Amino acid sequence: MNERKLQSNNKPELLQIELTYNCNLNCVFCYNPNRNKKIDFQKLDKIIDRISSFNIPQVYLIGGEPSLLGTEKLNEYIEKLSINSSVTIVTNGFITLKGISNKLANIAVSLHGYDAKTHERFNGVEGSYEHAIKSIQYYKSRGLNVRAVVVLSAMNYNIIGKILLRCIEAGVDEIFIDRYEDGGIGASNSNKFDLKPTNNQFREGLTQIIEVRNMELINKEKIGFGTAIPFCVDERLFSESLLSSCGAGTDFCAVTPDGNLRICNQSKVVMGNILDENIEDIWRTQAIQEYRDLNWVDSPCKECRLLSECIGGCRVDENCNKNFVIDYAIRDDNDEIMRKNQENINQGKLNPTYFIENFSPKKINDNDKYFVDRFTHINRTENQYFLVTQFSSARIGRIEYQVIEQLINRKEFSFREICECFFEYEEEGIENLFNQLLFLNAIRKVEND
């Protein structure tokens, strides 16, 4: 029995709602089980109402293709969800959502090639590349934060650098690179289209990713992986701060158009239905606890010093006969480079560094004025407290919750005013909180003309 267990909050921090499995493209790597189910708006309305009552810090509206619901319906959902959540839409960009709400924190557009030929060979729809580029440009003109989502596969690993440069040229603010995983329609196409990148192919792609990041055309921290990558695949994941784990079943879950909750989009294992149960109850069921127990983990991952952080990469593969497995990069291709990295990890020679560790506290001027960013919220579930920002969320303590609550209730404030309001707390602690809130863009300094 594995003595290490995954820890979890009372509820997920990120929830993806699969609004529909319908889609206007035909991507060969799609993880959805089908594309031809009628949209049940009545059921979706109930799902949105339920999720909005759960106060989930981050909510993604995905598909299928969410733009098929239309701007009016999506704006209705954004209006409800954005009261307590940071809301992101993930779209293929074929339909431009004219008039989409400015309460949307982020909009992500898929781009898998650097021109029409390399993009459309994945989805089989002529004109989809130009539609995606025009959608990106429209959303940027609206002042939205635009994210590009790129699937790295065996079909495009060798041009990934060109794809990233095209995304930047189109005007995106950030890029998430998702390594292909077997699921849904993609699982049946995996061998036919040679979708899974080998470890060497991934490393070649990683070389190009690092080269583009180092160009600093946009902040290099804005280019990274959006899916789990086994830490041992390449030591540069450590040195370049590109480590990417996944909170599936601990911080993250997905909900189907019928309300079924799974630990992620790729998984077929249903843990409960949010239309029938509270999410906090589903989040502590025996089935999900068995996943968190990690007894399904095989070697070499179960002996790894960083198991609780890496968790074996992506844990779901539809072409395997188990509910949860270690990543295919380790199962199928545990090569000499990986074995050496595994040895260095276990000897403490490779250690993770994370984004928040890059910030250095600064002295806060007593009388500078600040205001709370419009996407900043605070949520509470039982005895747990959460900070929600445009791009992220974090568990906070009761004192931090009380201070941020006071900030939200003020139009403007200074550091000195807040220290006087919370005179019973140490000033150093409040200054440290201010620094962290500034780093996360939860609060912003008022710039004098």
Side-chain angles (χ1 to χ4, degrees), residues 33-171:
N34 59 71
R35 295 193 181 103
N36 302 306
K37 188 173 182 179
K38 184 179 179 181
I39 300 175
D40 187 338
F41 286 100
Q42 188 174 10
K43 184 173 285 186
L44 275 182
D45 289 348
K46 293 178 181 178
I47 289 172
I48 296 296
D49 286 342
R50 287 286 285 169
I51 291 174
S52 64
S53 73
F54 295 151
N55 293 343
I56 302 296
Q58 298 178 72
V59 175
Y60 281 31
L61 303 177
I62 66 170
E65 178 47 45
S67 66
L68 296 177
L69 276 71
T71 301
E72 183 178 353
K73 177 56 73 172
L74 289 173
N75 281 348
E76 177 187 325
Y77 291 165
I78 293 167
E79 187 71 28
K80 290 181 179 180
L81 293 165
S82 63
I83 294 172
N84 292 300
S85 305
S86 171
V87 184
T88 295
I89 287 178
V90 182
T91 171
N92 58 37
F94 193 75
I95 296 173
T96 302
L97 293 166
K98 298 288 181 72
I100 196 67
S101 172
N102 65 1
K103 292 182 179 179
L104 186 68
N106 308 285
I107 188 157
V109 181
S110 301
L111 203 65
H112 309 302
Y114 62 86
D115 58 13
K117 181 180 178 180
T118 54
H119 177 75
E120 292 166 9
R121 65 176 174 164
F122 284 101
N123 61 45
V125 177
E126 187 175 346
S128 60
Y129 171 78
E130 287 301 324
H131 280 284
I133 295 295
K134 288 178 180 178
S135 288
I136 289 171
Q137 293 168 342
Y138 170 76
Y139 299 134
K140 280 299 297 177
S141 74
R142 285 284 314 281
L144 294 171
N145 186 79
V146 182
R147 175 185 304 159
V149 177
V150 181
V151 173
L152 187 157
S153 71
M155 293 174 64
N156 67 354
Y157 72 93
N158 57 340
I159 57 168
I160 201 74
K162 289 184 177 180
I163 299 172
L164 301 187
L165 290 173
R166 185 65 185 100
C167 292
I168 295 169
E169 182 185 18

Side-chain angles (χ1 to χ4, degrees), residues 251-270:
D251 303 315
F252 161 58
C253 67
V255 172
T256 72
D258 292 319
N260 289 329
L261 184 146
R262 302 109 67 223
I263 65 164
C264 75
N265 326 75
Q266 305 282 128
S267 177
K268 284 187 171 182
V269 181
V270 175

Side-chain angles (χ1 to χ4, degrees), residues 378-391:
I378 46 175
N379 287 344
R380 179 179 178 179
T381 301
E382 297 175 354
N383 62 341
Q384 294 185 346
Y385 306 88
F386 297 88
L387 168 68
V388 183
T389 71
Q390 181 176 6
F391 305 111

